[in-house]
Amino acid sequence: MCNDGSSHALDGQNMLVSCMQALVDAPSMETAVPQLLQHIQAFFAAKECSMFCFSSVDQERGFSFRLVDKRVQMESFEIDESWIAQQAQLLKPGWQILLKDLESQRAVQPEAYAYYQSLGVQSICVTPVWAHDRLVALLCVLNPRRHW
């Protein structure tokens, strides 16, 4: 859940933070997120990047943006406010979930291990995006190979 102290991890965290300004300044998520994900995927040499956005306008719907093979797929989904509240308690501002080796979770969290393994995930970085005190998005980088 925190930086391991290496300069590569710090470079990655700094890059993610610097990208958030472009997201805030953009006229819409639909225009900002695809460019953001392409930049992040290239920086980390990642298999896949996703962003799950929780709309402040429509409290019942959210959007997911998934970048795979240089194409962005966008879908809407129903928001479970209790799930968002639970994630907000786990993910404090300034914290990330860093899982560098999925095998380390086999005995600790077997259900999560099986789920991520089925997706081909070997490592993951989840970064929460906050606006004031509200969790507004989760940025996920799957199988990063650089700056990690």
Side-chain angles (χ1 to χ4, degrees), residues 80-99:
D80 178 352
E81 284 293 331
S82 64
W83 182 85
I84 294 174
Q86 180 184 25
Q87 300 310 305
Q89 286 182 349
L90 293 172
L91 296 166
K92 305 293 184 210
W95 286 67
Q96 295 176 297
I97 295 175
L98 302 175
L99 179 59

Side-chain angles (χ1 to χ4, degrees), residues 42-80:
F43 182 85
F44 285 103
K47 172 186 173 187
E48 181 180 318
C49 290
S50 299
M51 184 169 231
F52 302 94
C53 305
F54 316 119
S55 173
S56 59
V57 176
D58 182 352
Q59 296 293 322
E60 297 177 4
R61 308 251 3 123
F63 297 94
S64 70
F65 298 87
R66 185 171 168 227
L67 178 64
V68 181
D69 297 327
K70 299 185 181 183
R71 291 181 309 164
V72 174
Q73 303 164 350
M74 185 177 116
E75 296 178 9
S76 67
F77 60 89
E78 288 187 31
I79 291 178
D80 178 352

Side-chain angles (χ1 to χ4, degrees), residues 129-146:
V129 180
W130 295 86
H132 306 287
D133 61 349
R134 185 182 189 301
L135 180 62
V136 295
L138 293 173
L139 175 62
C140 305
V141 180
L142 304 182
N143 299 334
R145 294 186 299 268
R146 260 197 321 248

Side-chain angles (χ1 to χ4, degrees), residues 1-20 40 43-44 87-100 116 124-130 135 137-142 144 146-148:
M1 282 212 181
C2 60
N3 181 356
D4 68 2
S6 74
S7 63
H8 287 297
L10 187 57
D11 289 344
Q13 286 180 338
N14 288 338
M15 192 282 305
L16 290 172
V17 169
S18 70
C19 286
M20 293 306 124
I40 291 169
F43 182 85
F44 285 103
Q87 300 310 305
Q89 286 182 349
L90 293 172
L91 296 166
K92 305 293 184 210
W95 286 67
Q96 295 176 297
I97 295 175
L98 302 175
L99 179 59
K100 292 191 174 197
Y116 285 123
I124 189 169
C125 173
V126 179
T127 304
V129 180
W130 295 86
L135 180 62
L138 293 173
L139 175 62
C140 305
V141 180
L142 304 182
R146 260 197 321 248
H147 303 289
W148 180 237

